[in-house]
Amino acid sequence: MDRTDADRTDVDRADVDRADADRTDADRAVVDRAVVVGGGHMGSVIAGRLSDELRGAEVTVVEPSADRAAALREAEPRLRVEESYRPVPGAAVVVLALPPAALDSFASGLPADAFHDATVVSIMAGVRLETLVARLGTAHVLRAMPNLAAEVGQSMTMLCPGPGADDDDLARAEKALSAIGEVLVPPDESFLDAGTALVGSGPALVAFVMKGFTDYARRAGFDAAGSLRLTCQVLRGTADLLEADGTSPEELYGRASTPGGTTERGITCLGEHRVQEAVRDALEKTAARSRELAG
Ligand SMILES: NC(=O)c1ccc[n+]([C@@H]2O[C@H](COP(=O)([O-])OP(=O)(O)OC[C@H]3O[C@@H](n4cnc5c(N)ncnc54)[C@H](OP(=O)(O)O)[C@@H]3O)[C@@H](O)[C@H]2O)c1
């Protein structure tokens, strides 16, 4: 017979607490099933990587467009593709990868108790946790901001649990999102606007700056493939070096700028063009737009 919390004695409750404390992160992070709602760019990438990384888990994509659903079935035969959302049993993670403007119509068509015990992770830009909890009818909600590098398993994803999400929800969400790269949990939701600028828009902003490198390489006579390869390896090498050394960017360029040498000349030129100020300004404007969209 099922008992309520009120029926339990203090000894029972202590047993439950102890059993809960004995569970490891791996116990909490069990994911039997994943459902990705929205089979567009991000949704199909996430579903594909979940299928690769969550061994044995069943991965379903919900895609209402019949044409896109058929294309997904053909491109990714290992995924289940359905045209409407159905609740699934077990330790499930539901990733909402639909456009923010489609949330209301999706939520209004949901069956009662649509998410059972599922952990819901929204990647919709600018949709606040408060809105998600109110629309979805479950408190087991987290908000995440991944980026396009998910496609190569190199997303930097920010993940923020809602007030009703428990340790199991966080562990399951972290496990699911680590299929697309690294996961960082910020102190609270307010960090997600800056996170949207740094992480969500980050690859596009960095690519914009990288075009300066590829343009220069092309003008210097390298072919397109060579220009891209040089630029990417310099970017990757710099990132790895900074992380391995735990050095700050200014220490690295300071160390490389021998007085009177070649690098110093280039760094002086970037300073004169106020490149760092321009990048900070771009990030501030991107974050401000994220706040505007969230209303
Ligand atoms: N792209 C990025 O870099 C990025 C980064 C971080 C977060 N995000 C967020 O990720 C989400 C998806 O972005 P995306 O770039 O993948 O967009 P997308 O390619 O347009 O994909 C959205 C998908 O959701 C489907 N959809 C629409 N209404 C639906 C509903 N009611 N139920 C289920 N599916 C529905 C769309 O189908 P139809 O085309 O048939 O309408 C489409 O396949 C957005 O909320 C975005 O804010 C994107």
Side-chain angles (χ1 to χ4, degrees):
M1 191 178 72
D2 283 350
R3 291 185 308 164
T4 65
D5 267 0
D7 298 327
R8 291 197 178 101
T9 64
D10 286 347
V11 174
D12 287 339
R13 253 179 244 118
D15 283 345
V16 170
D17 290 348
R18 209 170 305 117
D20 197 50
D22 286 347
R23 295 174 69 221
T24 63
D25 283 351
D27 296 330
R28 295 180 191 284
V30 168
V31 178
D32 300 328
R33 289 180 177 77
V35 181
V36 179
V37 181
H41 186 76
M42 286 303 280
S44 52
V45 164
I46 292 173
R49 295 203 70 90
L50 284 172
S51 173
D52 290 340
E53 303 293 325
L54 296 180
R55 299 210 179 276
E58 182 182 271
V59 180
T60 303
V61 179
V62 178
E63 172 51 56
S65 144
D67 286 352
R68 207 190 281 250
L72 255 176
R73 277 187 199 104
E74 197 175 317
E76 295 274 14
R78 67 210 162 127
L79 303 175
R80 284 168 68 97
V81 180
E82 297 186 351
E83 287 170 29
S84 61
Y85 175 79
R86 280 190 294 124
V88 292
V93 168
V94 179
V95 178
L96 300 183
L98 59 164
L103 173 64
D104 283 344
S105 70
F106 169 72
S108 63
L110 287 173
D113 194 21
F115 299 107
H116 288 297
D117 297 326
T119 298
V120 182
V121 181
S122 163
I123 66 159
M124 289 180 285
V127 182
R128 302 246 183 259
L129 282 163
E130 193 186 12
T131 308
L132 293 165
V133 171
R135 298 281 194 287
L136 301 172
T138 172
H140 296 270
V141 178
L142 300 92
R143 201 180 143 196
M145 178 47 61
N147 69 28
L148 286 173
E151 213 169 312
V152 287
Q154 292 287 345
S155 176
M156 178 69 250
T157 302
M158 294 190 63
L159 174 66
C160 184
D166 58 27
D167 290 348
D168 288 24
D169 292 317
L170 181 59
R172 283 184 198 170
E174 278 190 290
K175 173 151 186 194
L177 292 171
S178 58
I180 57 167
E182 293 196 26
V183 180
L184 183 134
V185 179
D188 64 59
E189 191 181 8
S190 68
F191 283 76
L192 283 193
D193 290 314
T196 301
L198 287 161
V199 161
S201 306
L205 299 177
V206 170
F208 190 94
V209 175
M210 283 170 74
K211 185 166 184 300
F213 275 72
T214 52
D215 280 354
Y216 171 76
R218 292 289 279 148
R219 257 187 258 139
F222 295 95
D223 63 15
S227 302
L228 188 62
R229 187 169 166 220
L230 287 171
T231 304
C232 290
Q233 184 54 25
V234 168
L235 190 77
R236 211 171 7 245
T238 308
D240 286 352
L241 186 60
L242 286 172
E243 270 207 329
D245 279 8
T247 339
S248 67
E250 58 270 38
E251 276 170 334
L252 192 151
Y253 65 70
R255 221 195 294 152
S257 302
T258 315
T262 54
T263 308
E264 188 197 41
R265 183 82 57 91
I267 295 290
T268 303
C269 177
L270 290 173
E272 284 163 4
H273 283 279
R274 304 175 69 82
V275 170
Q276 288 174 350
E277 287 83 344
V279 170
R280 275 200 301 271
D281 199 27
L283 289 164
E284 268 159 25
K285 287 193 162 66
T286 311
R289 182 66 183 140
S290 165
R291 279 188 287 275
E292 273 167 32
L293 290 174

